[in-house]
Amino acid sequence: MSGLFLNFSNHPYSTWDENQLQAIQTQFDCAEKTEIAFPDIDPNLTNEQLKEMADKYIKEILAVHPDIVLCQGEFGLTHYIVNQLKAAGIVVVYACSSRVVENEVHQGLKKKIVIFSFTQFREYL
């Protein structure tokens, strides 16, 4: 394919491990990658305001002409954008990871450590 992989999440490439970066090429044969930061979503937005925001990001994403889009973030915005991108013929994926949780108690304070280990990208159904 040698296409373009677009990361639309709040996890920039600089935070990805080598396995996840390599999967862009091995799973999708994408030689190029770019990213658009997933926005922080105000929980007080109305559905109409969320849709307006989503439409703005859809235009921005389509202007880049990606072949594959990783779309992960707030559920409502993600759901709408995934459906619109798929309707436009774009493959939309999410990252699958193993999750290891460690709980510690130190001086009566509870601490939770979560470690994610990337496994693969999976296409939205």
Side-chain angles (χ1 to χ4, degrees):
M1 173 183 279
S2 296
L4 175 64
F5 186 99
L6 177 100
N7 172 20
F8 183 57
S9 75
N10 57 8
H11 301 281
Y13 288 124
S14 62
T15 65
W16 290 21
D17 67 28
E18 189 57 38
N19 290 335
Q20 192 168 4
L21 290 168
Q22 190 64 33
I24 293 171
Q25 293 177 346
T26 58
Q27 267 192 267
F28 306 114
D29 192 27
C30 286
E32 297 179 58
K33 65 184 190 308
T34 191
E35 56 194 342
I36 296 172
F38 198 96
D40 290 328
I41 305 298
D42 180 344
N44 295 307
L45 291 179
T46 65
N47 282 345
E48 185 57 36
Q49 290 169 317
L50 191 65
K51 183 181 178 305
E52 287 175 18
M53 179 184 284
D55 288 339
K56 173 186 163 276
Y57 279 99
I58 290 165
K59 286 179 186 172
E60 187 175 345
I61 290 166
L62 292 175
V64 175
H65 304 288
D67 297 288
I68 312 284
V69 175
L70 170 74
C71 184
Q72 290 184 207
E74 189 271 343
F75 295 121
L77 190 70
T78 296
H79 176 76
Y80 183 79
I81 289 176
V82 166
N83 286 330
Q84 297 302 309
L85 293 178
K86 287 179 61 167
I90 296 174
V91 175
V92 189
V93 300
Y94 58 97
C96 300
S97 301
S98 299
R99 182 175 183 233
V100 178
V101 179
E102 297 175 11
N103 292 299
E104 298 178 1
V105 178
H106 181 65
Q107 296 179 349
L109 299 173
K110 295 179 183 179
K111 180 178 180 182
K112 180 189 247 184
I113 300 171
V114 181
I115 301 168
F116 293 97
S117 177
F118 174 79
T119 303
Q120 68 171 337
F121 293 108
R122 185 177 294 142
E123 188 173 347
Y124 281 97
L125 300 176

